[in-house]
Amino acid sequence: MKDQVYCWIFFALLCFSTVTNVQAQDSLPCSPFSCVSSGMFVTAGSVLTFVPDAKAWTVDLRDAVQADGHDKLMFDNYLQYLPAISPPILNVCGLHSKHNLRKMIVREGASYLLGAVLLNAAKYGFRVQRPDGTAFNSFPSGHTFTAFTGAEILRREYGKEYPWVAVAGYAVATLVGTMRVYNNRHWAGDVLAGAGLGIFSVGVVYFLF
């Protein structure tokens, strides 16, 4: 029962981004809901990673999730790219996006480029050990960043006219983040920070463009 409670709490925190971002408006550089969710995730992830008492909670979560010794399900290695490749595919298939295909691809590429710089600076600057002990590049989660960046682009390009696209994108991204914890590849703080970083990067690029 304890491990189920931990999993549901973590899953609920990630799902909060879906509710806030799908409803967000883009009239500001970083829409209010996007600012709140990205800031909340990065802050929460940092606290859970670097504050000892909070870090203890993530260790308890890891221990609870891994208590049954389950096999890893590695489909998240591929699923992370689904939100990223979806925006241009949906455009080609006839769904009306906010920007034309060329402008959308430019914004998407710039978002990933900016985010990758920030992501790797954090990964190799803080050098947080992964929960499975394999490396010291755990914080933030790159898989989660990739998935949430794509999900936020889907929301901005298609969310107003096709809300289901935004919901689907964030559902996939949430599943990817959850699987990183399930597979013992990341701490909960890594996943929250990766999600926030993805949302933030898209907000900055859309403002600059």
Side-chain angles (χ1 to χ4, degrees), residues 153-206:
I153 291 171
L154 282 172
R155 182 194 71 79
R156 287 177 175 266
E157 293 292 339
Y158 297 100
K160 186 174 182 180
E161 190 167 352
Y162 312 101
W164 61 270
V165 172
V167 172
Y170 267 91
V172 170
T174 298
L175 178 59
V176 169
T178 303
M179 290 307 300
R180 298 309 285 167
V181 175
Y182 179 85
N183 288 329
N184 201 32
R185 291 295 290 157
H186 280 288
W187 305 100
D190 304 337
V191 170
L192 292 175
L197 181 60
I199 298 169
F200 171 78
S201 299
V202 175
V204 170
V205 167
Y206 271 69

Side-chain angles (χ1 to χ4, degrees), residues 23-88:
Q23 299 180 24
Q25 302 298 317
D26 298 326
S27 57
L28 297 176
C30 181
S31 59
F33 286 109
S34 293
C35 286
V36 170
S37 58
S38 62
M40 180 191 72
F41 284 142
V42 171
T43 301
S46 299
V47 169
L48 289 174
T49 301
F50 300 110
V51 177
D53 290 341
K55 177 69 175 182
W57 182 89
T58 67
V59 174
D60 289 342
L61 172 62
R62 189 275 308 274
D63 293 344
V65 172
Q66 305 302 322
D68 60 356
H70 57 258
D71 295 331
K72 294 182 179 180
L73 302 174
M74 304 306 296
F75 63 83
D76 53 324
N77 287 332
Y78 310 99
L79 191 63
Q80 62 171 318
Y81 299 112
L82 182 58
I85 65 175
S86 294

Side-chain angles (χ1 to χ4, degrees), residues 50 116-130 135-140 142 185-186:
F50 300 110
V117 172
L118 299 175
L119 179 79
N120 285 285
K123 275 183 172 294
Y124 297 102
F126 293 115
R127 297 190 57 80
V128 175
Q129 187 175 27
R130 290 180 182 268
F136 286 85
N137 60 352
S138 191
F139 178 87
R185 291 295 290 157
H186 280 288

